[in-house]
Amino acid sequence: KTIEEPPQFAVILLLTNNLDAFLPTILSRCVKLETKPVAEEVIKQHLMKYYNQTDYTAAAGAAFAQGNVGRAIELIQSEEFNEKKEKIIRLMQKLMTARDYEFEEEIKELKDDKEHIEETLNLMTIWFRDVLLYKATGSDQFLIFHSERSLIRKQSVSSSYAYLEGAFREIQNAREKLKSNVNFELTMSLMLMQLKEIQNG
C-alpha cells in the first residue's frame, strides 16, 4: 500500500539480490537500478584521500571490501579484523604443515568469536580463492591476501584443483550446517579435518 501511494517527501529504496522474488505489481512501480562493485583502485584512493590511510592499508582495505566502500571504511578502522585475518593465516599454515588432525586451539579461537563466524568463513573462502587464482594464472597481481603471496604461492604448488574445489565445498557445507544450528564445535572440527584430509589425499 505504501508503494502504491508513497508520501511526497519519501524516496523508497528496495535492495535485493533476487529481483524475481518481487511481485510484478511491485516491480511495475519501481525504477530498477543495477549496482556494481566499486573498483578496487577507486576505493583505495578514497581511503587515502579522505581517511588518511597509507598506500598499504588502503590497498588492503579495498581488497578485502570486494567493491563495498562502506565495508572498506569499517575494515581500516577495525583492529579486530586485522586480528581475525592473522588467525586465518596461521590456520592456513597449520593446514599445510600439521601432521595430525588436532585443531583444538583453533576451534577454541573460532568459538570465542562465534558471533562473527560468517566473516571468518568468508576470509577462508577468499584465501582459497587467492590460491586458486595464483595456481591458474601464476600471477600475484590480483591477490587479496597480497602480503601473504609467498605462502599462497607455496600452497598453490601443493594444492590440486580437486583439493581447492573440495575446500570451497567444505566451507560452504560448514556455513549451511551452522545455519541449521548444528553443534558449532563439531561443525568446525569436521570442516578442518576434511580440509586437512583432502589436502593429504
Side-chain angles (χ1 to χ4, degrees):
K1 183 65 177 179
T2 303
I3 295 175
E4 289 179 358
E5 299 178 5
Q8 294 183 355
F9 59 83
V11 175
I12 301 172
L13 300 178
L14 305 177
L15 306 179
T16 182
N17 290 323
N18 185 9
L19 194 63
D20 294 335
F22 283 88
L23 295 172
T25 52
I26 294 178
L27 292 178
S28 66
R29 292 172 169 82
C30 297
V31 175
K32 184 174 69 173
L33 300 174
E34 294 186 4
T35 59
K36 297 180 180 180
V38 180
E40 194 171 304
E41 183 62 27
V42 173
I43 297 178
K44 175 185 170 183
Q45 295 301 323
H46 179 79
L47 297 178
M48 293 175 67
K49 181 176 181 180
Y50 294 103
Y51 292 88
N52 298 317
Q53 296 296 302
T54 63
D55 183 272
Y56 172 78
T57 57
F64 282 101
Q66 297 184 285
N68 186 322
V69 178
R71 180 63 177 149
I73 295 170
E74 289 179 6
L75 294 180
I76 62 172
Q77 297 172 340
S78 171
E79 292 184 9
E80 292 180 359
F81 178 78
N82 290 325
E83 292 174 2
K84 190 181 276 84
K85 187 175 66 173
E86 293 302 317
K87 288 178 182 178
I88 293 299
I89 293 169
R90 291 196 300 271
L91 178 58
M92 295 301 105
Q93 289 174 320
K94 186 165 185 178
L95 282 173
M96 292 176 62
T97 60
R99 300 192 178 193
D100 53 35
Y101 294 158
E102 296 299 323
F103 293 100
E104 292 182 9
E105 182 180 344
E106 287 74 18
I107 292 171
K108 182 181 182 303
E109 288 184 346
L110 291 173
K111 186 177 181 181
D112 290 342
D113 195 32
K114 182 178 177 179
E115 61 186 56
H116 299 121
I117 189 60
E118 184 67 23
E119 187 171 80
T120 298
L121 294 175
N122 287 341
L123 284 173
M124 293 181 68
T125 301
I126 290 171
W127 176 274
F128 284 113
R129 169 264 186 201
D130 277 2
V131 176
L132 176 60
L133 181 62
Y134 188 86
K135 185 173 185 65
T137 67
S139 171
D140 60 14
Q141 182 179 359
F142 298 107
L143 298 183
I144 296 178
F145 278 94
H146 197 267
S147 62
E148 301 302 319
R149 54 191 175 278
S150 178
L151 181 59
I152 287 171
R153 288 192 200 107
K154 183 178 179 181
Q155 191 170 9
S156 73
V157 172
S158 63
S159 299
S160 66
Y161 286 111
Y163 167 72
L164 294 172
E165 180 182 358
F168 290 123
R169 183 175 59 251
E170 292 303 326
I171 294 171
Q172 182 59 29
N173 286 342
R175 182 180 280 113
E176 291 175 359
K177 288 177 182 177
L178 292 175
K179 289 180 180 178
S180 300
N181 293 318
V182 177
N183 180 273
F184 182 88
E185 292 178 70
L186 177 61
T187 299
M188 291 296 100
S189 179
L190 287 174
M191 180 190 72
L192 294 176
M193 288 173 62
Q194 287 295 320
L195 288 174
K196 184 64 181 174
E197 186 171 316
I198 57 178
Q199 170 87 338
N200 290 337

